Amino acid sequence: MMRALEPRLFPYIWRYSKGEQLKICAVVLASLPFYFASLDLPKRIVNDAITGKAFTHGEATTPFLELTVQWPTILGGGTSRLFEGFQLDRLELLFGLSTLFLSLVLINGAFKFWINLQKGILGERMLRRLRFQLFSLMLRFTPEAQREVKSSETATIIRDEVEPIGSFIGDAIVVPVFLGTQAATALAFIMMQNLWLGLAAGGMVGVQMTVIPRLRREIIRLSRRRQIASRNLAGRVAEVLDGLPAVLLNDTGRWERAEIGDRLYSLYDLRLRIYRRKFAVKYLNNLLAQVTPFLFYAIGGYFALKGELDIGQLVAVLAAYRDLPPPLKELIDWDQQRLDVEVKYETVAAHFGPQRLRPAEPETDAPPPLLGSPLRIEGLTLRDPQGGPPVEIGDAEVPLPNRIALVPSGTVAQEFARVLAGLQTALSGVIRIGDHDLSTLPRPVHARRIAYAGVEPVLFPGTVRDNILYGLKVRPLRQGCLDLSKMQINEAVKTGNPCDSIDDPWIDYQRLGVRDAEELDERLLDLLIQLGLGDDLYRFGLSALSSVGHDTPVGQRMIAAREYLRAHFAEKGLADLVIPFSRGRYNEQATVAENLLFGVPRDPSLTDPQRLAGTALFREALEKVQLLEELDRMGVAIASNLKDIFADVPPGHPLFRRFSLITPDALPDYLQRLARLPAEGRLSEADSVAFLALALAYVEPRMRFGLLNPGLAARIVGARAVVQGFMHGKDGCDVEPYDPNRINPRSTVLDNLLFGRIDTARMHGEALIQREARAVFRQFDLERPIQRRGLEKEVGNRGQLLAERVRVRIGLARAIMRDPEILIIDRVDEHLDRGVDTLLDVADATLPRASLVASLSAEADPMRFPVRLPVQSTNARLRTAAE
């Protein structure tokens, strides 16, 4: 478990990055001699080479790169010459010193490159560590914290607010050391040339380093207020988004816009005040920075005229001062950033404070069992979810395992179920299972032994299978990091991230009593069929893309069933209800695009008519068969019809679903295109793509605009070979054609089985075909594979693509698949076909040795349960069926 964050920033930085910080600081110190030499070298170039000071006694040459050591008196004094150097004349000396200066520039640049790179790497590593720590702490939020904290605010903190903190961590120690030593070196060099110039520079540095940071403190205070206001704005926007149906129903959009406008003005006002102070401080800082050169020119020039300062020294001082303001400015900026980031960090640390976290618990591979222990309630007091006075449950004891109904049904029973599941905290008292207090039971033990299923299950984006098996992905089965590269492992270790890979096996098939994923799917299907989802899975599977090859046993049975269906429908007199995919016939139930391609693009993005209409090869094919202009005109006619239909229709009206060719957002764009249509001549390419997209999505029996005459349909059929020829094998535009002897992996299971489309224009035709087809699929042992394909159905964000009853049953299936010792149910019975009967039958079949604790719906009969536990009155006594 992740420990809580340090309350202050620098202890956190030192705890996790001191080794890397010290390593970079050591390189910074190693770079200083080279930096000092680069400051001194301009003086030698001017004095020794240009003005000829090294040749004042008439020497023809002078030593270059001579190395001599002056020994201190305590070591005996004297000098030692380590290297005699090279004898160079005046011109050679000039080029030699200039080359040495360039070499030092490159060396110093290399030092800066390495230091900045390591700072960046360190900052990113610490940002990764911090984000992971915050996410881990979020997983430890107590039930009270989960109610108190807004999810949007927490997500904003982890995603955005810690970004500047991570960037600063790399600079936290290295920058003041690097810039401070560089500034000190430059200042020391100036003092070595002339004390007065050094004192002048030092005085201005002192003013800048003391006055400017003080003036910036108000900026930090305002920035903190703006950070909190921005976070509150994000929370408020999320609240409005979650409550958007209420806003639409009550027509309170204007009030909401006014409220958000007021918040945005407050943010604007804070930012304006920050800008005013920020640029005033910047003006003062620039003014102070420019005063020093004035002093250098005046004082330095005075000393140079008096002969107390040579030209080379003055040039060197000016060159050294050129390097002094940038690090000073960056140091001041660093100090402001430090104050700002410290405030941000402390705000973040408070959001994830220990008071909001469950105690850290070690993970265990084998949680101890609770089976066989009695359930005891001792002085339990719950909060009333409806805001009433606390509810005293009293004392009770129930032997386990058992089937227990909480009576009477209602909000208190629901609260008790949530407390038992660990989703709420009791006001006082304890619930024990044997000697275990559930409020202090380690979370891994609680989660492994007790499962909960309610009417609002949390489903994550993914498939039906992913969400049911979610509760089985507790820890990977192998300890190694076989699916991670060495770099990934090293970075994970350095940043405190886990070495677990999502590609590792996470589901223990052996514990579940199955051999592999296929056998697990069979168990899932059995469970979901028991819960009444067999028809839903069948429907999901029919609309899914086929995932089997035509040469597999299932594929061969599908092709055989396809042939049998054709004969079966003819025998039953239903052949005209299915329009087959025939190369020489236009399929009225398919779109114009599907009829042109006579197949499905292998690139899924090209199933979007807009993308297909803009594909160059496709447009070239239409040009060749002289269909492009005609289909463009069809698109213009469709847009004109839609313009008349939607003239007075508000967004969200069912008509938009009826004519799904266009969305409310796209309608204004088409109206503008219609308004600027040329009287004669061809459309622009952009307009052509837009109108062609409408034509490609057109299905005559659905839209009924009368735009598809037999002649145009025949031309579209005749163009199929040309279109497929143009797109075949080029630029990812290949088409998977319809073939009666093959399975089309880009088509749905139903299209593959029927090898055609159902004629939806016939009343009750679709239901009749579906019923007859399902009987044939059973005959060919295909119903089960179709249902298994339904496990791949995407559920959407929070399960929004599924009906509520399906979501609830998936949540119940997830809880059952975990094989808990205690299964807690909260009103799930109202979403089951036979209510309590189904619930008890499924529990007896799947969890015969587990306990079932149920908070039932108001219509349910608790007498079906052997034990009824009162959860509303004090001194409750246990009522059993025998009583």
Side-chain angles (χ1 to χ4, degrees), residues 107-169:
I107 292 172
N108 288 325
F111 272 116
K112 286 184 179 180
F113 171 79
W114 188 90
I115 291 167
N116 288 327
L117 178 63
Q118 294 305 311
K119 284 193 309 176
I121 293 174
L122 176 59
E124 285 303 311
R125 283 176 179 162
M126 290 296 291
L127 178 60
R128 179 183 175 186
R129 174 188 291 275
L130 180 57
R131 280 179 168 154
F132 180 77
Q133 284 180 306
L134 296 181
F135 179 80
S136 299
L137 292 175
M138 181 193 71
L139 298 181
R140 286 176 49 197
F141 275 166
T142 62
E144 292 76 16
Q146 293 175 35
R147 292 195 304 269
E148 174 188 348
V149 171
K150 295 177 182 177
S151 58
S152 59
E153 292 184 7
T154 303
T156 300
I157 290 172
I158 296 176
R159 184 192 63 193
D160 296 330
E161 291 192 18
V162 299
E163 185 83 30
I165 298 176
S167 302
F168 175 77
I169 288 176

Side-chain angles (χ1 to χ4, degrees), residues 164-184:
I165 298 176
S167 302
F168 175 77
I169 288 176
D171 298 339
I173 297 175
V174 175
V175 163
V177 172
F178 182 49
L179 298 178
T181 52
Q182 275 201 339

Side-chain angles (χ1 to χ4, degrees), residues 243-253:
L244 199 55
V247 176
L248 297 177
L249 287 172
N250 295 283
D251 193 25
T252 54

Side-chain angles (χ1 to χ4, degrees), residues 602 617 724-735:
R602 290 178 180 170
L617 290 174
Q724 287 186 352
F726 263 74
M727 299 186 68
H728 181 67
K730 295 181 181 179
D731 299 331
C733 297
D734 212 349
V735 176

